[in-house]
Amino acid sequence: MSAEKFEFKTEVNQLLELVIHSLYSHREIFLRELISNASDALDKLRFAALQNKDLLGADAELRIKIFRDDKAGTLTITDNGVGMTRDELIGNLGTIAHSGTKDFVERIKKAKEGPELIGQFGVGFYSAFMVADKVTVHAKTADGAAASWVSAGQGSFELSESAKTTRGTEIILQLKKDAKEYLDEYTIRQLIKKYSDYVDYPIYMDIEREETPQDKDGKPLENAKPEKKIVAEKLNSQKALWTKNKSEIKPEEYEDF
């Protein structure tokens, strides 16, 4: 099936213009917003699964994953949450069905508080265009067909069938030339710690590590050369500071907070 082209609603175009140009100095918040959306999708699935456990299938560990591709210049955020149908992609990403949209637009024009307004008004997905020339979304519900949404944030988006076979949502950001810093491992780690450390679900990132082969007792093999391996590391603690016992909190955690 060939891609179908759709025009953004007027308020989405206004929003994109403001987010991309007015909040340029705050663009690191895009990761916070996309992870927040992924967490919401996982919440929805967890709630639905209370009444229908079949929704989880064999993929019961709810999680968020981040993939970096230096060669392609892409940053990908995935979740195995509730996913979206084709119609939901149109409704959720092509329009803003929010009675306060006009208020948002007016306030963000003034806005030192802009980065926080994005989260409050539920339009955080569009912050992806602060760092990306193109955004691709592949989505699939537990019992539905997969669909893809693609846009360069310039007035239109395209919809087509997707080859995605697993439940959830995958967002691929084709990063702008001046946003390649968001492919850096340390930068991603710092942003997760700063904005998303308390997210309820584990956030993993594939990291390339050099490991020396070991024998059956776990000791390094003599004269063995280190081998490069991809390891999925968890980046967040999943535990809010205010839920910890006071004696568990380290001074640096308190200062960071």
Side-chain angles (χ1 to χ4, degrees):
M1 179 179 173
S2 60
E4 296 179 76
K5 189 172 182 177
F6 297 81
E7 298 298 317
F8 279 126
K9 296 297 183 183
T10 302
E11 68 271 17
V12 176
N13 279 324
Q14 291 178 327
L15 179 66
L16 282 169
E17 184 73 18
L18 286 167
V19 167
I20 293 170
H21 299 292
S22 299
L23 301 182
Y24 186 83
S25 61
H26 302 283
R27 59 184 187 165
E28 67 178 28
I29 64 168
F30 82 93
L31 189 59
R32 177 193 74 183
E33 294 304 315
L34 295 183
I35 287 176
S36 177
N37 289 351
S39 179
D40 288 345
L42 293 169
D43 281 341
K44 289 176 182 177
L45 179 66
R46 183 168 64 178
F47 181 77
L50 292 176
Q51 296 182 325
N52 181 5
K53 292 184 179 179
D54 291 340
L55 290 174
L56 294 177
D59 192 15
E61 187 209 351
L62 302 183
R63 63 197 179 278
I64 299 166
K65 287 198 74 172
I66 296 173
F67 300 91
R68 298 166 298 128
D69 188 327
D70 290 312
K71 188 174 181 180
T74 59
L75 182 69
T76 301
I77 297 95
T78 73
D79 67 72
N80 60 339
V82 71
M84 286 181 279
T85 64
R86 177 184 179 280
D87 288 344
E88 286 171 335
L89 283 171
I90 295 174
N92 294 341
L93 306 185
T95 63
I96 305 176
H98 195 299
S99 59
T101 300
K102 184 176 180 181
D103 182 39
F104 173 87
V105 169
E106 291 304 314
R107 287 173 65 181
I108 206 173
K109 283 179 180 176
K110 299 173 182 177
K112 291 180 180 177
E113 56 182 338
E116 297 314 314
L117 285 178
I118 281 183
Q120 291 174 23
F121 278 78
V123 293
F125 169 77
Y126 302 104
S127 64
F129 289 102
M130 290 192 288
V131 298
D133 285 322
K134 183 175 77 171
V135 177
T136 301
V137 180
H138 300 297
K140 185 183 182 305
T141 59
D143 55 357
S148 294
W149 181 101
V150 183
S151 178
Q154 298 178 353
S156 66
F157 61 93
E158 292 185 348
L159 276 176
S160 61
E161 291 181 355
S162 171
K164 184 173 173 58
T165 58
T166 55
R167 180 194 71 230
T169 304
E170 176 182 76
I171 300 175
I172 305 169
L173 309 181
Q174 185 68 55
L175 294 176
K176 297 179 179 180
K177 288 182 179 179
D178 64 352
K180 297 298 173 66
E181 65 192 277
Y182 300 112
L183 292 174
D184 178 69
E185 176 189 335
Y186 179 76
T187 299
I188 295 294
R189 286 181 180 277
Q190 290 300 104
L191 292 179
I192 296 296
K193 184 174 178 59
K194 181 177 180 179
Y195 292 120
S196 307
D197 195 45
Y198 309 142
V199 168
D200 281 344
Y201 306 96
I203 302 171
Y204 295 105
M205 181 165 66
D206 280 354
I207 308 293
E208 185 177 80
R209 292 284 182 252
E210 282 195 349
E211 297 183 359
T212 301
Q214 300 176 340
D215 61 21
K216 61 181 181 179
D217 296 320
K219 296 179 180 179
L221 292 174
E222 191 175 350
N223 298 323
K225 293 183 178 180
E227 298 175 349
K228 290 185 177 181
K229 291 186 176 181
I230 301 297
V231 180
E233 292 191 9
K234 188 160 83 79
L235 305 183
N236 61 324
S237 71
Q238 293 181 252
K239 191 173 183 181
L241 202 64
W242 52 89
T243 66
K244 293 183 179 180
N245 186 293
K246 187 176 179 180
S247 62
E248 297 177 3
I249 301 174
K250 298 176 182 178
E252 56 268 28
E253 289 182 304
Y254 177 79
E255 291 299 325
D256 286 343
F257 179 74

